[in-house]
Amino acid sequence: MHLELIVQDLYQPSVVDEHTWVNWFENWLQTPALGLPPGDAYELSLRLTSDGEIQALNAQFRQQDRPTDVLSFAALEVDFPQGADNSSDSAIYLGDIIISVDTAVRQAPEHGYSLRKELAWLASHGLLHLLGWDHPDEASLLLMLDRQSSLLRSSGFRDLVDA
């Protein structure tokens, strides 16, 4: 499996380097239970931004004029093209994940996480949304949170505080 990850990090120095992001997403995308569309190559973008920018996007696309921690814009809708030949040279574009680093900085201590783990948590949440996961009710939310925890453990994070 090949991953093309476009990282736009407006915060320098970065908390997480691009190589680490690629490793995390490649690891996560190899998890069979995610329901990834069949293919040899995938592409997605990750933008690490401010509360101001994510608030503008949240207002424009979700009609909620307030900052949020993560937004996902899926390129593929709920039903992936099954049986299609996705083994061509072109990557399957999954979509865009946008994370507010400002919000992550505030939330990390509330969750007992390092900023690095909070960013990974939000990125995994965004990835699940790109793959069609949602949490319209408590049962769906618990399932999604369990999947996120599993993804983070597979990337070497323990369940509680990490450096």
Side-chain angles (χ1 to χ4, degrees):
M1 192 238 0
H2 175 72
L3 172 66
E4 296 174 36
L5 178 65
I6 301 158
V7 178
Q8 300 172 327
D9 190 346
L10 302 182
Y11 287 83
Q12 298 300 325
S14 295
V15 175
V16 178
D17 63 64
E18 189 168 343
H19 179 74
T20 300
W21 282 118
V22 170
N23 285 340
W24 287 346
F25 279 104
E26 283 179 344
N27 182 38
W28 297 341
L29 288 171
Q30 293 180 39
T31 304
L34 291 185
L36 192 64
D40 295 327
Y42 302 93
E43 181 181 350
L44 65 98
S45 71
L46 172 67
R47 183 171 177 88
L48 303 167
T49 192
S50 66
D51 272 353
E53 182 177 37
I54 209 163
Q55 179 172 345
L57 292 168
N58 204 21
Q60 179 180 355
F61 292 103
R62 297 181 64 227
Q63 291 69 53
Q64 296 184 23
D65 191 15
R66 60 180 171 79
T68 188
D69 51 7
V70 60
L71 290 172
S72 298
F73 297 97
L76 301 172
E77 290 303 320
V78 177
D79 296 321
F80 297 123
Q82 299 299 324
D85 181 14
N86 293 323
S87 61
S88 68
D89 291 337
S90 62
I92 297 171
Y93 186 64
L94 300 175
D96 307 311
I97 301 170
I98 301 156
I99 297 173
S100 171
V101 176
D102 296 337
T103 299
V105 164
R106 286 191 308 277
Q107 287 181 169
E110 295 169 11
H111 296 147
Y113 294 169
S114 65
L115 178 56
R116 182 179 175 89
K117 182 174 181 178
E118 181 70 15
L119 291 170
W121 177 260
L122 295 172
S124 67
H125 189 86
L127 177 64
L128 290 174
H129 278 303
L130 292 185
L131 298 177
W133 290 67
D134 204 0
H135 44 85
D137 55 48
E138 187 71 19
S140 300
L141 176 62
L142 292 175
L143 184 61
M144 193 167 174
L145 294 177
D146 182 61
R147 179 57 53 208
Q148 279 180 253
S149 294
S150 176
L151 292 176
L152 263 63
R153 282 192 303 275
S154 76
S155 295
F157 289 100
R158 297 179 305 273
D159 286 334
L160 298 174
V161 179
D162 294 297

